[in-house]
């Protein structure tokens, strides 16, 4: 973070402190969490970030992903997926991640709602659409042919799934 040097006294120091309180955003916590290797420290970083930025659907949703994928704390992950979607109900990626979570728990009826919302707001984001069509392929036999066709087209266009974990849905 930038530090400013001023010639005068405490007024300027107070201004600097105020600016430092405003400047950091949720992304700085995400970067710290991504760099950290110790899951306990990652959890602490996310919790600190969420305390500071409780309305960041990105930070809350990424924490839910971490709880599900790394910590295997499924009840807590579900709580944070819901919280992220309370903040931003039309967030396509978190609707898709929560749908995947529900499908892995064999709660297809509830997952349908979130999958539909994810598709509705995916806005031609090919990587997200490939993830969503994969869920359709894995869980909805009635959409198998359409899912294969859509996935083939997305892959031809360069969609990738680097780093995605599909094991819950296979």
């Amino acid at each position: 973070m930038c530090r400013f040097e001023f010639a005068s006294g405490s007024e300027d120091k107070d201004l600097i402190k105020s600016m430092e309180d405003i400047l950091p955003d949720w992304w700085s916590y995400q970067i710290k969490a991504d760099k950290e290797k110790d899951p306990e420290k990652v959890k602490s970083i996310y919790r600190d970030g969420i305390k500071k930025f409780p309305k960041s659907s990105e930070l809350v949703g990424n924490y839910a992903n971490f709880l599900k994928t790394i910590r295997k704390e499924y009840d807590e992950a579900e709580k944070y997926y819901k919280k992220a979607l309370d903040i931003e109900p039309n967030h396509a990626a978190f609707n898709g991640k929560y749908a995947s979570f529900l499908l892995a728990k064999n709660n297809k009826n509830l997952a349908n709602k979130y999958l539909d919302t994810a598709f509705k707001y995916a806005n031609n984001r090919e990587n997200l659409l490939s993830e969503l069509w994969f869920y359709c392929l894995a869980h909805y036999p009635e959409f198998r042919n359409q899912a294969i066709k859509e996935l083939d087209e997305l892959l031809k266009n360069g969609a990738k799934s680097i780093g995605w974990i599909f094991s819950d849905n296979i």
Side-chain angles (χ1 to χ4, degrees):
M1 176 164 316
C2 296
R3 299 254 182 233
F4 300 99
E5 299 280 334
F6 291 101
S8 62
S10 66
E11 288 175 17
D12 294 326
K13 290 179 183 174
D14 291 342
L15 176 62
I16 292 168
K17 178 66 177 144
S18 295
M19 289 175 64
E20 288 176 349
D21 289 341
I22 294 169
L23 289 176
D25 61 4
W26 71 270
W27 188 243
S28 63
Y29 287 91
Q30 186 62 55
I31 291 169
K32 286 180 199 173
D34 289 344
K35 288 181 180 178
E36 181 57 56
K37 303 291 185 221
D38 179 352
E40 280 301 315
K41 289 180 182 175
V42 173
K43 189 173 183 175
S44 178
I45 292 166
Y46 273 120
R47 290 202 175 254
D48 290 346
I50 291 168
K51 280 181 193 168
K52 185 145 185 163
F53 301 101
K55 298 292 183 195
S56 170
S57 63
E58 294 89 352
L59 196 59
V60 172
N62 290 344
Y63 182 50
N65 290 336
F66 165 77
L67 289 169
K68 175 188 164 263
T69 306
I70 304 300
R71 301 289 298 203
K72 310 294 186 209
E73 295 177 15
Y74 301 113
D75 291 340
E76 198 70 0
E78 184 165 23
K79 174 180 150 185
Y80 280 91
Y81 278 126
K82 288 178 179 178
K83 191 175 201 176
L85 292 170
D86 283 344
I87 297 166
E88 194 174 347
N90 299 332
H91 193 291
F94 293 131
N95 272 283
K97 292 292 185 194
Y98 188 46
S100 168
F101 176 84
L102 293 168
L103 289 167
K105 289 178 59 175
N106 206 26
N107 192 343
K108 198 171 173 179
N109 289 334
L110 186 56
N112 291 343
K113 170 187 167 191
Y114 295 97
L115 196 56
D116 287 346
T117 302
F119 271 114
K120 182 177 179 181
Y121 294 101
N123 296 327
N124 296 320
R125 291 170 42 204
E126 290 181 340
N127 293 347
L128 176 58
L129 287 169
S130 62
E131 180 181 357
L132 300 175
W133 280 113
F134 172 79
Y135 301 144
C136 290
L137 177 64
H139 296 280
Y140 299 89
E142 64 272 24
F143 291 107
R144 185 174 194 275
N145 290 335
Q146 183 182 1
I148 290 170
K149 180 182 167 218
E150 296 289 343
L151 283 167
D152 283 346
E153 189 63 31
L154 288 162
L155 293 172
K156 283 180 195 171
N157 290 334
K160 304 277 188 241
S161 61
I162 297 169
W164 290 352
I165 300 170
F166 293 108
S167 58
D168 289 342
N169 292 284
I170 296 178

